[in-house]
Amino acid sequence: MKSRTVWSPPSGGRWEVQDVLRRLDLVGRLKQSVDYIRMELRELPITIDDELTALFGNEAAIAARYNVSCYDAAYLELALRLHAPLATNDRALTAAAEAAGLASLWY
């Protein structure tokens, strides 16, 4: 069976995940250790997107157009480029994805 990508974040996504895990661990909200969760995540078919659309990309223009941060615009730009739904638990980013004509998955 061929594996398929289940998540394709922009290059900064790897640090965001680690930071979220660290913060959740600090407040005791994880049922497993951070090391165990990272080990499990390494087994998933995740593809990090390192493609730049320009020297600095289109994130600033997308951020201004949809009133989101440049960081969030990086996720929006990637979803637009891949014609993929955007998975987020951020209401503003969900609204931006929908305004851009993307499906969004609310977590």
Side-chain angles (χ1 to χ4, degrees), residues 22-83:
R22 182 187 65 79
R23 286 186 281 135
L24 290 173
D25 188 43
L26 286 173
V27 296
R29 299 216 29 219
L30 297 177
K31 294 182 180 182
Q32 301 288 338
S33 73
V34 171
D35 288 337
Y36 177 81
I37 294 169
R38 278 196 300 247
M39 180 185 69
E40 290 290 306
L41 287 170
R42 286 184 191 109
E43 299 298 318
L44 294 174
I46 297 171
T47 303
I48 302 295
D49 182 83
D50 288 320
E51 181 180 321
L52 293 175
T53 56
L55 177 60
F56 289 104
N58 297 320
E59 295 84 6
I62 291 169
R65 181 174 182 181
Y66 296 104
N67 196 30
V68 295
S69 70
C70 286
Y71 185 79
D72 285 347
Y75 284 90
L76 187 54
E77 186 278 330
L78 180 58
L80 287 164
R81 187 163 27 92
L82 297 178
H83 306 286

